[in-house]
Amino acid sequence: MSLIDTPQTLTITRPDDWHLHLRDGAALASVLPHSARQFARAIVMPNLKPPITTTAMAGAYRERILAALPAGMQFEPLMTLYLTDATEPDEIRRAQDSGFVHAVKLYPAGATTNSAAGVTDLARCYKTLEVMQQVGMPLLVHGEVTDQDIDLFDREAVFIERVMRPLRRDMPALKIVFEHITTRDAAQYVAEAEGPIAATITAHHLLYNRNEMFKGGIRPHFYCLPVLKREEHRLALMTAATSGDERFFLGTDSAPHAVGAKETACGCAGCYTALHAMEMYCEAFERAGALDKLEGFASFHGADFYELPRNQTTVTLKRETWTLPQTVPLGDATLAPLNAGEQINWKLL
Ligand SMILES: NC(=O)N[C@@H](CC(=O)O)C(=O)O
Ligand SMILES: [Zn+2]
Ligand SMILES: [Zn+2]
């Protein structure tokens, strides 16, 4: 592409974030405006302490999110329930009837941040999953096995064989989103599988491979789960995201942790990208020469999968270099956006 062909601005239908951590309380108030500036709607993860396990809790959390939204901003939180061994089929019916719960999240117990209350054995959830299949409630999956004998970098690929394939064989009509995929194995599985399955892809997994965590020293802000993988996997994610295949859509997995909880002997998993998510995706799609595919990925495919209307307004991104802040507030603490202090070449207007 010659310089003259390089677009200086990109206007697309307003995007949505199909995988987001907003936390609660003072942290929620700090991070919510960032996401609301970038996205019209977001699927809000339920891994709070205690987790959002009931429709009533999801309704109260939704009210807290709306109360924390600065005046004049438009943002629709799409709520989720946290699946446990004890989630009753009736809870799914209540969730479906609520109109504000849009999915149920599977965290294998111990897989990631605040997953201790997660599912120990999916077989215990089959009656509940059957109701989800029946009413069309999507299951969102953190797809990693927790077996300590399995190498950390292999946990997603092993999950496909041990959990995803058997589950989909037993419940072929259950809508599933394979969240934040990080491997060629997962991208290939989702692209080829039959039935209602899709995947979200983060901006950081499109832009970085695992070397980024160790460039010149250990870089805890690049540590997230599932962990960054080899370059061949990043390339497969780029191919999937920019392919135009409607099974792949945007989910930032922006996951705020205070600087002190990241820069420590046992740092938390999660990258904070809500501040500059669309700029990061723009950069990734531009590198692939696929800016024309960004709108489908960011603004259409997710809405279509969740059977929600596409947004009617637009946003514009401009080619303009700006510098990310070193930190932003997180309640009384501070939060470092991914790439803090560095330059980025697109700007959401
Ligand atoms: N992605 C992460 O590394 N962390 C997420 C949890 C999750 O999405 O697995 C968090 O809540 O901090
Ligand atoms: Zn996860
Ligand atoms: Zn997440």
Side-chain angles (χ1 to χ4, degrees), residues 34 49 82 88 95 97 127 141 222 233 246 259 268 284 304 306 318 322:
H34 298 158
K49 278 187 238 169
Y82 185 116
E88 296 283 351
D97 291 345
K127 286 218 156 57
V141 177
F222 286 93
H233 296 293
E246 69 261 8
V259 167
C268 292
D304 296 352
Y306 279 91
K318 189 176 174 221
W322 57 289

mmCIF file of all heavy atoms in Angstrom, residues 34 49 82 88 95 97 127 141 222 233 246 259 268 284 304 306 318 322:
data_model
loop_
_atom_site.group_PDB
_atom_site.id
_atom_site.type_symbol
_atom_site.label_atom_id
_atom_site.label_comp_id
_atom_site.label_asym_id
_atom_site.label_seq_id
_atom_site.Cartn_x
_atom_site.Cartn_y
_atom_site.Cartn_z
ATOM 1 N N HIS A 34 -13.988 4.822 30.536
ATOM 2 C CA HIS A 34 -13.107 4.425 29.422
ATOM 3 C C HIS A 34 -13.847 3.508 28.449
ATOM 4 O O HIS A 34 -13.816 3.714 27.237
ATOM 5 C CB HIS A 34 -11.861 3.705 29.961
ATOM 6 C CG HIS A 34 -11.014 4.553 30.864
ATOM 7 N ND1 HIS A 34 -10.150 4.030 31.781
ATOM 8 C CD2 HIS A 34 -10.918 5.906 30.991
ATOM 9 C CE1 HIS A 34 -9.537 5.006 32.432
ATOM 10 N NE2 HIS A 34 -9.997 6.160 31.978
ATOM 11 N N LYS A 49 -16.131 -10.493 43.727
ATOM 12 C CA LYS A 49 -16.078 -11.176 45.025
ATOM 13 C C LYS A 49 -17.189 -10.635 45.893
ATOM 14 O O LYS A 49 -17.097 -9.467 46.291
ATOM 15 C CB LYS A 49 -14.729 -10.901 45.709
ATOM 16 C CG LYS A 49 -13.604 -11.788 45.238
ATOM 17 C CD LYS A 49 -12.370 -11.545 46.084
ATOM 18 C CE LYS A 49 -11.196 -11.116 45.220
ATOM 19 N NZ LYS A 49 -10.068 -10.630 45.971
ATOM 20 N N TYR A 82 -22.467 -16.150 36.748
ATOM 21 C CA TYR A 82 -21.290 -16.987 37.010
ATOM 22 C C TYR A 82 -21.793 -18.388 37.323
ATOM 23 O O TYR A 82 -22.507 -18.593 38.297
ATOM 24 C CB TYR A 82 -20.591 -16.353 38.191
ATOM 25 C CG TYR A 82 -19.268 -16.893 38.662
ATOM 26 C CD1 TYR A 82 -18.134 -16.079 38.588
ATOM 27 C CD2 TYR A 82 -19.154 -18.124 39.281
ATOM 28 C CE1 TYR A 82 -16.913 -16.514 39.093
ATOM 29 C CE2 TYR A 82 -17.939 -18.565 39.781
ATOM 30 C CZ TYR A 82 -16.816 -17.756 39.686
ATOM 31 O OH TYR A 82 -15.620 -18.182 40.205
ATOM 32 N N GLU A 88 -28.968 -23.614 39.601
ATOM 33 C CA GLU A 88 -30.195 -24.384 39.341
ATOM 34 C C GLU A 88 -30.760 -24.053 37.962
ATOM 35 O O GLU A 88 -30.672 -22.904 37.513
ATOM 36 C CB GLU A 88 -31.267 -24.017 40.377
ATOM 37 C CG GLU A 88 -30.920 -24.374 41.806
ATOM 38 C CD GLU A 88 -31.084 -25.863 42.094
ATOM 39 O OE1 GLU A 88 -31.639 -26.579 41.222
ATOM 40 O OE2 GLU A 88 -30.640 -26.288 43.172
ATOM 41 N N ALA A 95 -33.083 -15.840 34.547
ATOM 42 C CA ALA A 95 -32.134 -15.013 33.793
ATOM 43 C C ALA A 95 -32.686 -14.689 32.411
ATOM 44 O O ALA A 95 -32.665 -13.538 31.961
ATOM 45 C CB ALA A 95 -30.795 -15.733 33.673
ATOM 46 N N ASP A 97 -35.802 -14.673 31.464
ATOM 47 C CA ASP A 97 -36.977 -13.802 31.573
ATOM 48 C C ASP A 97 -36.600 -12.361 31.919
ATOM 49 O O ASP A 97 -37.373 -11.443 31.664
ATOM 50 C CB ASP A 97 -37.946 -14.340 32.641
ATOM 51 C CG ASP A 97 -38.598 -15.653 32.194
ATOM 52 O OD1 ASP A 97 -38.511 -15.967 30.991
ATOM 53 O OD2 ASP A 97 -39.183 -16.352 33.048
ATOM 54 N N LYS A 127 -27.932 -30.517 33.805
ATOM 55 C CA LYS A 127 -29.360 -30.147 33.813
ATOM 56 C C LYS A 127 -29.517 -28.654 33.517
ATOM 57 O O LYS A 127 -30.417 -28.239 32.787
ATOM 58 C CB LYS A 127 -29.984 -30.477 35.175
ATOM 59 C CG LYS A 127 -30.204 -31.958 35.400
ATOM 60 C CD LYS A 127 -31.529 -32.215 36.152
ATOM 61 C CE LYS A 127 -32.050 -33.613 35.893
ATOM 62 N NZ LYS A 127 -31.059 -34.667 36.256
ATOM 63 N N VAL A 141 -17.142 -19.302 27.767
ATOM 64 C CA VAL A 141 -16.199 -20.258 28.338
ATOM 65 C C VAL A 141 -14.797 -19.670 28.485
ATOM 66 O O VAL A 141 -14.211 -19.184 27.508
ATOM 67 C CB VAL A 141 -16.131 -21.506 27.420
ATOM 68 C CG1 VAL A 141 -15.112 -22.492 27.935
ATOM 69 C CG2 VAL A 141 -17.504 -22.160 27.319
ATOM 70 N N PHE A 222 2.017 -7.441 30.833
ATOM 71 C CA PHE A 222 1.644 -8.285 29.695
ATOM 72 C C PHE A 222 1.182 -9.679 30.124
ATOM 73 O O PHE A 222 0.871 -10.525 29.290
ATOM 74 C CB PHE A 222 2.811 -8.410 28.698
ATOM 75 C CG PHE A 222 3.020 -7.161 27.901
ATOM 76 C CD1 PHE A 222 3.912 -6.181 28.318
ATOM 77 C CD2 PHE A 222 2.291 -6.938 26.742
ATOM 78 C CE1 PHE A 222 4.078 -5.009 27.596
ATOM 79 C CE2 PHE A 222 2.452 -5.774 26.013
ATOM 80 C CZ PHE A 222 3.351 -4.801 26.439
ATOM 81 N N HIS A 233 0.829 -18.776 16.885
ATOM 82 C CA HIS A 233 -0.539 -18.670 17.382
ATOM 83 C C HIS A 233 -1.094 -17.252 17.169
ATOM 84 O O HIS A 233 -2.239 -17.070 16.778
ATOM 85 C CB HIS A 233 -0.599 -19.065 18.860
ATOM 86 C CG HIS A 233 -0.241 -20.498 19.078
ATOM 87 N ND1 HIS A 233 -1.034 -21.525 18.627
ATOM 88 C CD2 HIS A 233 0.845 -21.078 19.658
ATOM 89 C CE1 HIS A 233 -0.465 -22.684 18.936
ATOM 90 N NE2 HIS A 233 0.677 -22.436 19.549
ATOM 91 N N GLU A 246 -17.849 -14.504 10.518
ATOM 92 C CA GLU A 246 -18.671 -13.895 11.569
ATOM 93 C C GLU A 246 -18.596 -14.620 12.910
ATOM 94 O O GLU A 246 -19.161 -14.172 13.893
ATOM 95 C CB GLU A 246 -20.132 -13.751 11.109
ATOM 96 C CG GLU A 246 -20.896 -15.029 10.944
ATOM 97 C CD GLU A 246 -20.974 -15.488 9.485
ATOM 98 O OE1 GLU A 246 -20.308 -14.890 8.616
ATOM 99 O OE2 GLU A 246 -21.707 -16.454 9.218
ATOM 100 N N VAL A 259 -1.700 -1.242 40.112
ATOM 101 C CA VAL A 259 -0.272 -1.409 39.809
ATOM 102 C C VAL A 259 0.397 -2.283 40.858
ATOM 103 O O VAL A 259 1.185 -3.180 40.536
ATOM 104 C CB VAL A 259 0.418 -0.024 39.692
ATOM 105 C CG1 VAL A 259 1.932 -0.169 39.691
ATOM 106 C CG2 VAL A 259 -0.049 0.692 38.430
ATOM 107 N N CYS A 268 -1.072 -10.389 39.632
ATOM 108 C CA CYS A 268 -2.372 -10.811 39.100
ATOM 109 C C CYS A 268 -2.343 -10.880 37.574
ATOM 110 O O CYS A 268 -1.588 -10.155 36.920
ATOM 111 C CB CYS A 268 -3.454 -9.814 39.507
ATOM 112 S SG CYS A 268 -3.769 -9.825 41.267
ATOM 113 N N ALA A 284 -3.709 -3.363 14.836
ATOM 114 C CA ALA A 284 -3.571 -4.768 14.430
ATOM 115 C C ALA A 284 -4.140 -4.991 13.026
ATOM 116 O O ALA A 284 -3.500 -5.613 12.169
ATOM 117 C CB ALA A 284 -4.270 -5.670 15.437
ATOM 118 N N ASP A 304 -24.814 -9.863 16.089
ATOM 119 C CA ASP A 304 -25.570 -10.880 15.355
ATOM 120 C C ASP A 304 -25.604 -12.195 16.141
ATOM 121 O O ASP A 304 -26.653 -12.827 16.244
ATOM 122 C CB ASP A 304 -24.956 -11.120 13.968
ATOM 123 C CG ASP A 304 -25.021 -9.889 13.068
ATOM 124 O OD1 ASP A 304 -25.686 -8.888 13.452
ATOM 125 O OD2 ASP A 304 -24.406 -9.912 11.990
ATOM 126 N N TYR A 306 -25.345 -12.639 19.381
ATOM 127 C CA TYR A 306 -26.178 -12.482 20.581
ATOM 128 C C TYR A 306 -27.630 -12.111 20.235
ATOM 129 O O TYR A 306 -28.436 -11.901 21.129
ATOM 130 C CB TYR A 306 -25.586 -11.425 21.505
ATOM 131 C CG TYR A 306 -24.457 -11.942 22.381
ATOM 132 C CD1 TYR A 306 -23.132 -11.875 21.953
ATOM 133 C CD2 TYR A 306 -24.712 -12.481 23.635
ATOM 134 C CE1 TYR A 306 -22.092 -12.337 22.764
ATOM 135 C CE2 TYR A 306 -23.696 -12.941 24.456
ATOM 136 C CZ TYR A 306 -22.385 -12.869 24.023
ATOM 137 O OH TYR A 306 -21.362 -13.325 24.829
ATOM 138 N N LYS A 318 -8.826 8.298 13.953
ATOM 139 C CA LYS A 318 -7.971 9.142 13.129
ATOM 140 C C LYS A 318 -6.535 8.684 13.276
ATOM 141 O O LYS A 318 -6.128 8.278 14.361
ATOM 142 C CB LYS A 318 -8.101 10.585 13.640
ATOM 143 C CG LYS A 318 -7.454 11.612 12.789
ATOM 144 C CD LYS A 318 -7.731 13.017 13.341
ATOM 145 C CE LYS A 318 -6.923 14.011 12.518
ATOM 146 N NZ LYS A 318 -6.340 15.032 13.344
ATOM 147 N N TRP A 322 -0.303 9.665 19.678
ATOM 148 C CA TRP A 322 -0.457 10.252 21.016
ATOM 149 C C TRP A 322 0.205 9.310 22.029
ATOM 150 O O TRP A 322 0.533 8.165 21.691
ATOM 151 C CB TRP A 322 -1.930 10.521 21.370
ATOM 152 C CG TRP A 322 -2.848 9.333 21.320
ATOM 153 C CD1 TRP A 322 -3.271 8.683 20.195
ATOM 154 C CD2 TRP A 322 -3.447 8.660 22.428
ATOM 155 N NE1 TRP A 322 -4.111 7.653 20.542
ATOM 156 C CE2 TRP A 322 -4.237 7.608 21.911
ATOM 157 C CE3 TRP A 322 -3.415 8.833 23.824
ATOM 158 C CZ2 TRP A 322 -4.972 6.729 22.724
ATOM 159 C CZ3 TRP A 322 -4.160 7.972 24.632
ATOM 160 C CH2 TRP A 322 -4.920 6.939 24.074
#
